[in-house]
Amino acid sequence: MNTVNIKYTAKEGVKIPEYKTKGSAGADICAFISEDIVLLPGKRAMVPTGLFTEIPEGYEIQVRPRSGLAAKNGLTVLNTPGTIDSDYRGEICVILINLGEEAFTIHNGDRIAQLIIAPVTQGLFVKAEKLEDSQRGSGGFGSTGV
C-alpha cells in the first residue's frame, strides 16, 4: 500500500478522515455542522466538514459517495468524483444530493463521503491539423452498445 502525507488543520471537534479497514481505498469524511440538515428528495446541500488540507503537488483528493448511503438511502455526491486540487486551502465541503424517495437527515459527525488520494497527470494540449482515424471514430454516448 502506497502512502503520502496529507497535512491538515481542522476546526475544534472535527472527526479526522479514517480508513475503516486495512484494505480501504477511501477514508470516510464526516459532516461538521451545528444543526441537522434535512435533505428532501431531489434536493442538494453543500455539507461542511471542518477540514482543511495541504495536498502535495502531483496529487489530488477525490470526493466519492459512500456505497451504503447510496444503496440504502439514495444519497450521493452530486459532482462525483469531486476533485480537491493541491493548491486549494479552503474548507472541504461535500455536495450531497438525495436521489431517494424519503427525506434524509444529516447529523453532525455522520460519515457522508469518502476521500481517495490519487496521483495527477497533467496533459499538454497540442494543436493538430488532423486527428488519426480510429475504429470508434466520433461515436459516443452508447454507440458501442448497451
Side-chain angles (χ1 to χ4, degrees):
M1 182 81 56
N2 297 327
T3 61
V4 62
N5 290 333
I6 305 294
K7 294 181 185 177
Y8 74 89
T9 60
K11 294 179 180 178
E12 184 69 32
V14 165
K15 291 183 179 180
I16 303 310
E18 178 182 12
Y19 296 94
K20 289 297 186 180
T21 67
K22 182 180 177 190
S24 293
D28 290 338
I29 191 167
C30 299
F32 186 71
I33 51 179
S34 56
E35 295 181 7
D36 290 349
I37 297 172
V38 177
L39 206 49
L40 299 174
K43 298 299 180 183
R44 63 186 178 271
M46 190 154 21
V47 182
T49 67
L51 186 70
F52 304 79
T53 57
E54 182 180 326
I55 305 163
E57 192 171 318
Y59 290 88
E60 68 165 327
I61 293 179
Q62 297 176 4
V63 182
R64 298 187 188 175
R66 291 190 61 243
S67 59
L69 284 178
K72 296 174 186 173
N73 305 104
L75 204 68
T76 191
V77 176
L78 185 58
N79 62 326
T80 192
T83 294
I84 303 170
D85 297 304
S86 64
D87 57 353
Y88 177 69
R89 296 294 184 270
E91 181 177 8
I92 295 175
C93 293
V94 178
I95 306 169
L96 293 178
I97 187 165
N98 183 352
L99 299 176
E101 298 172 0
E102 299 177 13
F104 184 86
T105 302
I106 303 163
H107 308 281
N108 186 51
D110 283 354
R111 295 181 296 156
I112 56 170
Q114 56 182 329
L115 305 180
I116 307 290
I117 312 302
V120 171
T121 301
Q122 289 186 336
L124 295 175
F125 293 88
V126 180
K127 183 165 177 56
E129 294 299 318
K130 182 179 183 303
L131 302 178
E132 297 292 323
D133 291 334
S134 72
Q135 181 178 357
R136 183 175 182 173
S138 63
F141 301 98
S143 67
T144 60
V146 179

